[in-house]
Amino acid sequence: MTYDFSSLSPAQFEDFARDLIGRELKIRFEAFTDGPDDGMDGRHATADGDVILQVKHYYRSGFRALKRKIAQERAAIDILRPKRYVLATSVSLTPANKTQLAEVLGPALKSPGDIFGLQDLLALLRTFPDVERAHPTLWQQSSTVMKTLITNAVADAFPKPTAVPPVLAALLPNASGSGTATPPERDTIFIIKSSPIDDEFTLWLAPKLEAEGYRVFADVLTLEPGDRWRREINQALEHRAAKVLLITHNATLDDPSVQDDIDIALDVANRIGERRFILPLRLGAGPKVKGIGDTVAIDFVRGWGEGLALLLEALRRQKVPLESNAVLIDPNWELFRRRGAVPLINEPERLTSNWLRVVEVPDFINYYEPNGASDPSKLKRTLARYPYPTAIQGRGFLSFAGQVEINDAFEELGRFRLKLSVSLPKFLSEGIPQIGLEPRVASNALIGMIKEAWFRFCKARGLVEYVYSNNVGFHASPSLAPVGARIFWGKQGDRRSSMLRNIAKGYIWQYGVTALPATWPFWHLKLKARVLFASDNGTSDGLAIDDPKKMHKLRRSICKGWRNKQWHGRMQAFLEMLSGDNAYITLRLSAENDLVVEASPTLFTSPVSTMLPNIADADDEEVDESTLGRPEADVEETDA
């Protein structure tokens, strides 16, 4: 991945360079707080002198500005008298550029090779990719890195294959490692089937047999394709099978693996002298099986429940071993059923998140204190009327406004002085120690200020505010989204439309969101979908419902049929309603500072996709009755 490091602030670029250069030199650089750096951004102390690292983030300014700045700091560098001086910069450098910088730096620089320009840093990133992953602000727009992270997460989510699956190893002879020559007990019912054709029936049948006390095995328990463990499965079949259940229909009997298992089962039947060793289970039309053609099959065609009753009776009559007092149902049946419920396809898939990326924030946050005595309650009332977000801390308050703006806004309350101005990265990582503000409290204060800016923005847009148990949601109002009206969204040439208000089962539903600000792994707003209901009384607003339990029941019934396309479309339409023709949503933090958010959700790419049904067109689903609530899911009018 190629970077120009423009996504990193100067402080973030310093942290990144310390990590990367430190890995290359195999040393650890000390880090220092913001302020005068005395010619160094990192130091590695040794007995015979210090290794000094200086970092210059001059990707916008270019080489001339970098050279001029180094010349200004030459005196400070000479005073340090380091054992070794290393310079890292985001500026692209030529060999001639490095020679000129070496002349400016003087004897502190031992070699031009200790000057790391843009291309040098990119080369080191290829050598140390873990440093790239450790700095999310660097790669937050890199689909390559995101794909790697998602791929690793998907790989970690699946079980890792072992030499032999434990459930199969337990059936093999001498599985305990005792080395005894005693023949193992024949206590297991083996199901011969074709994968994946018969998986659904097997996953239904096997747990029911285990519930009766039988021990059951089928190749799905290996959680791998059957051929992977073919030799071990055949060995277990030869030594542990008390009975073999053969699923019979055309598709199964055409499977070569099934024919191999039948041959082994017939050999075992001949060896132990059991002519009813194999019980065919008929699931459909199929040819006679050589060797068991005269065996009466148990019929599952007329119904699986009826067939199960016949099978259990046959197993009882033939005295197949069971432990009715120690029933144990293997959880792997259910695990495999869930795993196979949504098959994965080895194709990449574009995913739309519910995150809105923050693309612009102020550089600093300010702390103001009154010049003299002040009335805390009066200050609180005045801040509540102030049109921009603030947060009271101690005697003063936090704000993104400058001194002149504060003087004008709070003139009648008194004079306030700017006591501290702190960069946002430092504010989040360190808080403000001078006033006792810890990082966690600082982060909460910042999140609260962003929420306040969001609230003011939504109210100004005319959205309906609703206070939920854990947060505030804003919904489409009748004036912005009349009942049944479609809001168009999407790129030109690929326009879609979705409803934000409509009537279903006698209730007006209106879509909305709660915005949850976050600063990790990058600054963003996470949107949580909300649906609010009112009784349809013929008016545009409807009759408000004050009963939270009834509101919950309505969400469970009316929204139950909404598919992913509905939720996705409504979120996109909601954002289109907020932003209009603008690609960004601007939250005002002061008269001169804004927090700018992308109006389109962040996209990610998954390395795999799923075989989910996707039949109906996205717009057709808006009028599909199932998306407006299942008819049979009547909502009770009384409390549960």
Side-chain angles (χ1 to χ4, degrees):
M1 181 67 186
T2 299
Y3 300 104
D4 61 4
F5 304 112
S6 59
S7 63
L8 300 181
S9 68
Q12 291 169 333
F13 183 67
E14 288 177 11
D15 292 340
F16 162 74
R18 270 193 297 268
D19 290 349
L20 188 61
I21 303 299
R23 289 292 301 278
E24 169 67 8
L25 303 183
K26 297 181 176 59
I27 60 177
R28 185 187 71 84
F29 286 107
E30 299 175 73
F32 306 102
T33 188
D34 292 347
D37 59 17
D38 296 324
M40 60 179 170
D41 294 305
R43 177 179 63 190
H44 176 71
T46 64
D48 55 347
D50 295 339
V51 179
I52 300 301
L53 172 66
Q54 183 74 8
V55 181
K56 297 298 181 185
H57 196 12
Y58 273 56
Y59 73 98
R60 286 197 182 98
S61 305
F63 175 72
R64 291 181 180 274
L66 172 65
K67 181 180 176 182
R68 187 166 52 250
K69 182 64 175 178
I70 294 298
Q72 294 172 359
E73 296 185 356
R74 168 66 184 273
I77 296 171
D78 289 341
I79 293 174
L80 291 172
R81 301 179 63 184
K83 172 189 174 184
R84 184 178 183 182
Y85 181 87
V86 181
L87 174 65
T89 178
S90 55
V91 176
S92 181
L93 299 177
T94 65
N97 294 152
K98 289 191 177 184
T99 300
Q100 294 179 47
L101 289 176
E103 293 174 354
V104 173
L105 287 167
L109 185 74
K110 306 307 179 186
S111 166
D114 281 344
I115 300 177
F116 293 82
L118 174 64
Q119 286 73 22
D120 300 310
L121 297 179
L122 293 176
L124 291 181
L125 269 182
R126 290 190 289 271
T127 305
F128 305 110
D130 57 312
V131 176
E132 180 182 34
R133 293 192 294 270
H135 292 267
T137 308
L138 177 64
W139 50 258
Q140 61 187 26
Q141 295 181 346
S142 167
S143 60
T144 302
V145 178
M146 293 301 297
K147 180 177 179 179
T148 300
L149 293 176
I150 295 173
T151 300
N152 293 339
V154 171
D156 291 342
F158 289 107
K160 303 299 184 294
T162 57
V164 176
V167 69
L168 176 56
L171 297 179
L172 298 176
N174 298 327
S176 63
S178 61
T180 177
T182 304
E185 181 182 1
R186 292 190 175 276
D187 58 357
T188 305
I189 296 175
F190 273 73
I191 300 178
I192 296 180
K193 51 175 280 298
S194 178
S195 296
I197 301 170
D198 300 322
D199 284 351
E200 181 183 1
F201 175 73
T202 303
L203 294 171
W204 174 86
L205 175 64
K208 291 176 172 54
L209 293 177
E210 288 185 338
E212 296 293 328
Y214 296 104
R215 185 172 186 172
V216 183
F217 179 84
D219 61 6
V220 293
L221 283 180
T222 64
L223 299 182
E224 294 287 346
D227 286 341
R228 179 180 178 89
W229 311 112
R230 180 55 48 198
R231 184 176 63 84
E232 289 81 2
I233 291 174
N234 292 346
Q235 189 178 11
L237 175 59
E238 290 183 21
H239 295 280
R240 297 298 296 272
K243 189 70 64 177
V244 171
L245 305 182
L246 171 62
I247 298 176
T248 65
H249 55 88
N250 284 325
T252 300
L253 297 176
D254 288 341
D255 189 333
S257 296
V258 171
Q259 293 296 332
D260 292 342
D261 288 342
I262 293 173
D263 291 340
I264 295 172
L266 288 173
D267 289 341
V268 173
N270 291 332
R271 188 169 66 248
I272 64 176
E274 174 59 69
R275 64 183 183 88
R276 293 183 297 183
F277 183 62
I278 302 176
L279 292 181
L281 310 182
R282 189 164 70 90
L283 264 67
K288 291 186 177 182
V289 180
K290 182 180 179 181
I292 58 171
D294 58 345
T295 304
V296 178
I298 297 174
D299 187 14
F300 280 81
V301 175
R302 290 182 294 181
W304 288 5
E306 185 176 343
L308 175 62
L310 296 173
L311 173 60
L312 292 176
E313 177 61 22
L315 295 177
R316 184 189 63 79
R317 289 198 314 269
Q318 297 178 30
K319 296 181 172 51
V320 176
L322 79 163
E323 292 287 345
S324 57
N325 295 325
V327 172
L328 180 63
I329 300 178
D330 195 321
N332 286 296
W333 302 116
E334 176 65 14
L335 291 175
F336 187 81
R337 186 189 66 79
R338 291 181 182 179
R339 178 180 172 182
V342 183
L344 294 180
I345 306 174
N346 190 25
E347 296 176 0
E349 180 180 1
R350 197 70 164 167
L351 302 176
T352 303
S353 72
N354 60 337
W355 289 12
L356 303 182
R357 189 189 307 275
V358 175
V359 296
E360 183 179 317
V361 297
D363 293 327
F364 296 91
I365 189 169
N366 302 319
Y367 176 69
Y368 292 93
E369 277 191 353
N371 281 335
S374 65
D375 184 347
S377 59
K378 191 174 182 181
L379 172 63
K380 187 175 181 180
R381 291 194 299 271
T382 304
L383 291 177
R385 295 193 301 269
Y386 183 56
Y388 304 110
T390 58
I392 294 178
Q393 296 294 328
R395 294 184 61 244
F397 61 91
L398 297 168
S399 172
F400 289 99
Q403 181 72 72
V404 175
E405 183 180 342
I406 293 297
N407 290 342
D408 293 341
F410 298 93
E411 182 178 7
E412 64 180 31
L413 188 62
R415 302 291 293 180
F416 288 82
R417 62 185 176 90
L418 176 60
K419 184 173 182 179
L420 292 165
S421 184
V422 184
S423 69
L424 276 183
K426 184 178 179 181
F427 181 75
L428 286 172
S429 62
E430 301 179 15
I432 306 181
Q434 297 92 324
I435 63 172
L437 184 62
E438 298 178 351
R440 180 179 58 83
V441 180
S443 176
N444 291 340
L446 177 62
I447 296 301
M449 294 173 73
I450 297 175
K451 281 186 178 181
E452 184 180 345
W454 171 261
F455 293 166
R456 293 177 186 272
F457 172 82
C458 292
K459 291 175 182 177
R461 292 287 296 161
L463 299 183
V464 177
E465 180 182 6
Y466 187 84
V467 180
Y468 291 87
S469 60
N470 59 350
N471 224 308
V472 176
F474 286 91
H475 296 261
S477 63
S479 60
L480 293 174
V483 168
R486 292 173 177 270
I487 307 295
F488 286 89
W489 58 271
K491 297 180 180 179
Q492 187 174 3
D494 189 25
R495 299 285 283 174
R496 272 188 52 195
S497 63
S498 298
M499 298 179 192
L500 296 179
R501 299 182 79 251
N502 205 359
I503 298 176
K505 301 177 67 176
Y507 295 93
I508 298 175
W509 60 262
Q510 49 191 12
Y511 178 89
V513 302
T514 292
L516 305 172
T519 59
W520 190 92
F522 52 84
W523 285 60
H524 66 277
L525 297 184
K526 182 171 71 173
L527 302 183
K528 181 177 182 179
R530 303 283 197 179
V531 183
L532 194 62
F533 296 90
S535 298
D536 181 16
N537 62 355
T539 65
S540 59
D541 290 313
L543 183 63
I545 298 175
D546 296 327
D547 186 351
K549 292 183 178 179
K550 184 174 181 179
M551 193 80 74
H552 177 69
K553 293 174 185 175
L554 288 167
R555 291 191 195 99
R556 293 292 299 272
S557 61
I558 292 180
C559 300
K560 186 177 182 181
W562 289 5
R563 303 180 180 94
N564 284 340
K565 283 184 178 179
Q566 268 65 49
W567 292 108
H568 167 71
R570 301 197 206 293
M571 180 179 67
Q572 295 278 25
F574 188 89
L575 294 173
E576 186 85 7
M577 179 186 65
L578 286 183
S579 61
D581 296 331
N582 201 323
Y584 302 97
I585 295 172
T586 301
L587 307 182
R588 304 305 309 274
L589 299 179
S590 72
E592 299 180 350
N593 290 293
D594 300 324
L595 185 134
V596 182
V597 185
E598 290 182 344
S600 297
T602 300
L603 299 178
F604 297 100
T605 299
S606 169
V608 296
S609 57
T610 57
M611 292 181 62
L612 292 175
N614 192 21
I615 300 172
D617 178 78
D619 285 338
D620 290 341
E621 289 198 350
E622 283 289 355
V623 295
D624 184 346
E625 289 186 359
S626 67
T627 70
L628 302 178
R630 300 180 184 275
E632 70 275 8
D634 293 328
V635 180
E636 298 176 9
E637 295 295 335
T638 58
D639 292 342

